[in-house]
Amino acid sequence: MIRAIHLFFLLAVFACSKASIDTDTPAITPPTPTSNQIVVAADGSGNFKTIQEAINSISKKADKERVIFIKNGTYKERIYLDGIQFLTFKGESEKGVIITISEARDIWSCNPANKADWGVATVNISQSTDIVFSNITVINSYGFEASDTPITIDCPTDATGKKTVRKDGHQMALRTFSGATRLTFKNCTFRAFGGDTVSPWDGTVGMYYFKDCTMEGGVDFYCPRGWSYAENCHFICHNTSAALWHDGSANKEAKTVLKNCTFEGDKGYKLGRYHLESQFYLIDCTFSDLMADADIYAAASGTGTPLWGRRVFYKNCHRQGGNDFSWLKDNWVIESKTVNSSWVFDGKWTPQ
């Protein structure tokens, strides 16, 4: 008995010592469902086996948060949120919860039964407010799976009756529509190989907050309209045209702000561009040495000289390798600590 107690004491001391040593890699305890949550589990151990079934089971209107807890698993389904309020999707782990479809926007648009982009993305959100996604991976896998050789398909909606589809064409993991605002994404991954991976697109009232997220895609793969704030996010670009894009044409105060973000991509990837009125702020960002020597630029197909001027601002941004391009120099005097969600969203929303 004494030996057993002594062994237990030694094990306890070892565990405490190890915990005090491993300060660089603290243990992360995954969230667990509680009694007031709807549980989704692909293996049937929850209330529902699909996420959409769980969404359909709740009322659309609410004045406080409802939670759908998603257990680890791969969910091959499109998510539709239409007119939903105060709903949180909490994944068991970011790498363990995968929502995925394979869809090229060019193929989708050739089906006369499809209504514009509604359903083109893995996650589709319309007329919904106060939505939170955390610890979730969202993938549109078409470009990762498609052949390098473009294909030609029948396309009744095209004047020629045909459409050529490339593996790096538009593929959306997230697409939001009119009335979708106050959307929060924390510890989420969004992946596609083509353009417009993350497309939050209400330019009038849209407000979007991304924190500790990874976003991957092709041209304009992070392309918000309205107000958007990305904090501590990582961007991976598979295109040499542009990683970032913004449309702020509906309101002079609309802006896209990226703070403490990191960038990598294929050799020669460009940072960003705009076709419409826009406003970019990049603070404390770091770029890989493969980034091209090309400032955020006005696209040739744009609307000409912006009415509000060219608004691209940098503060304490650097390229890896210690060789900063001249256009990365500070051109903005505000202190980094001043940049928070209240500043970004003009005092209308504070998701932090």
Side-chain angles (χ1 to χ4, degrees), residues 56-108:
N56 295 343
S57 73
I58 65 172
S59 61
K60 290 190 174 185
K61 305 299 180 182
D63 57 6
K64 62 181 180 180
E65 180 191 45
R66 287 85 55 83
V67 177
I68 294 177
F69 181 88
I70 309 170
K71 288 189 176 182
N72 287 340
T74 299
Y75 299 85
K76 296 182 178 181
E77 55 177 311
R78 298 176 207 271
I79 303 303
Y80 295 91
L81 291 170
D82 190 10
I84 302 290
Q85 295 178 333
F86 293 101
L87 182 59
T88 291
F89 298 87
K90 185 184 297 183
E92 185 175 356
S93 68
E94 181 177 351
K95 292 183 178 180
V97 176
I98 300 172
I99 309 172
T100 181
I101 64 166
S102 176
E103 187 69 74
R105 190 187 195 188
D106 286 334
I107 295 176
W108 176 267

Side-chain angles (χ1 to χ4, degrees), residues 24-47:
D24 292 336
T25 55
I28 299 175
T29 303
T32 54
T34 59
S35 59
N36 63 340
Q37 297 175 344
I38 297 172
V39 178
V40 177
D43 62 6
S45 61
N47 303 109

Side-chain angles (χ1 to χ4, degrees), residues 191-204:
R191 297 188 66 217
F193 188 79
D196 294 12
T197 305
V198 176
S199 300
W201 275 2
D202 186 321
T204 304

Side-chain angles (χ1 to χ4, degrees), residues 57-321:
S57 73
I58 65 172
S59 61
K60 290 190 174 185
K61 305 299 180 182
D63 57 6
K64 62 181 180 180
E65 180 191 45
R66 287 85 55 83
V67 177
I68 294 177
F69 181 88
I70 309 170
K71 288 189 176 182
N72 287 340
T74 299
Y75 299 85
K76 296 182 178 181
E77 55 177 311
R78 298 176 207 271
I79 303 303
Y80 295 91
L81 291 170
D82 190 10
I84 302 290
Q85 295 178 333
F86 293 101
L87 182 59
T88 291
F89 298 87
K90 185 184 297 183
E92 185 175 356
S93 68
E94 181 177 351
K95 292 183 178 180
V97 176
I98 300 172
I99 309 172
T100 181
I101 64 166
S102 176
E103 187 69 74
R105 190 187 195 188
D106 286 334
I107 295 176
W108 176 267
S109 65
C110 285
N111 185 345
N114 293 333
K115 298 179 180 179
D117 278 349
W118 183 240
V120 73
T122 311
V123 174
N124 307 268
I125 307 176
S126 176
Q127 299 295 328
S128 298
T129 63
D130 300 289
I131 307 297
V132 178
F133 282 75
S134 66
N135 302 323
I136 293 170
T137 291
V138 181
I139 300 173
N140 187 330
S141 63
Y142 180 83
F144 296 115
E145 302 165 350
S147 168
D148 291 339
T149 303
I151 62 172
T152 300
I153 62 171
D154 293 331
C155 187
T157 61
D158 192 273
T160 66
K162 298 288 184 180
K163 176 80 77 171
T164 298
V165 183
R166 299 164 34 134
K167 69 177 294 180
D168 61 352
H170 292 112
Q171 299 148 46
M172 299 170 174
L174 171 69
R175 168 75 161 92
T176 79
F177 300 78
S178 175
T181 186
R182 297 200 300 269
L183 310 180
T184 299
F185 306 89
K186 295 182 178 181
N187 298 108
C188 289
T189 295
F190 299 92
R191 297 188 66 217
F193 188 79
D196 294 12
T197 305
V198 176
S199 300
W201 275 2
D202 186 321
T204 304
V205 298
M207 294 184 288
Y208 320 104
Y209 180 52
F210 299 86
K211 182 176 173 61
D212 299 313
C213 291
T214 296
M215 298 177 232
E216 178 180 6
V219 62
D220 306 336
F221 70 91
Y222 178 62
C223 52
R225 301 176 189 263
W227 291 258
S228 187
Y229 185 19
E231 186 177 19
N232 305 335
C233 291
H234 184 61
F235 297 87
I236 306 168
C237 185
H238 297 300
N239 185 279
T240 58
S241 292
L244 308 177
W245 183 90
H246 179 242
D247 171 17
S249 58
N251 190 306
K252 187 177 181 180
E253 301 306 317
K255 60 181 78 73
T256 181
V257 179
L258 298 95
K259 183 178 180 180
N260 196 35
C261 293
T262 56
F263 291 76
E264 64 172 302
D266 299 345
K267 185 176 181 179
Y269 74 93
K270 294 184 180 69
L271 180 56
R273 65 178 182 173
Y274 53 91
H275 293 78
L276 304 165
E277 302 288 340
S278 60
Q279 188 170 198
F280 295 84
Y281 292 87
L282 289 91
I283 305 101
D284 301 332
C285 292
T286 303
F287 312 96
S288 71
D289 57 4
L290 295 181
M291 185 175 71
D293 185 1
D295 197 354
I296 294 175
Y297 64 97
S301 59
T303 57
T305 304
L307 295 174
W308 302 318
R310 182 181 184 276
R311 299 182 296 170
V312 178
F313 303 100
Y314 300 101
K315 176 72 173 182
N316 192 35
C317 291
H318 300 285
R319 179 170 170 261
Q320 291 177 341

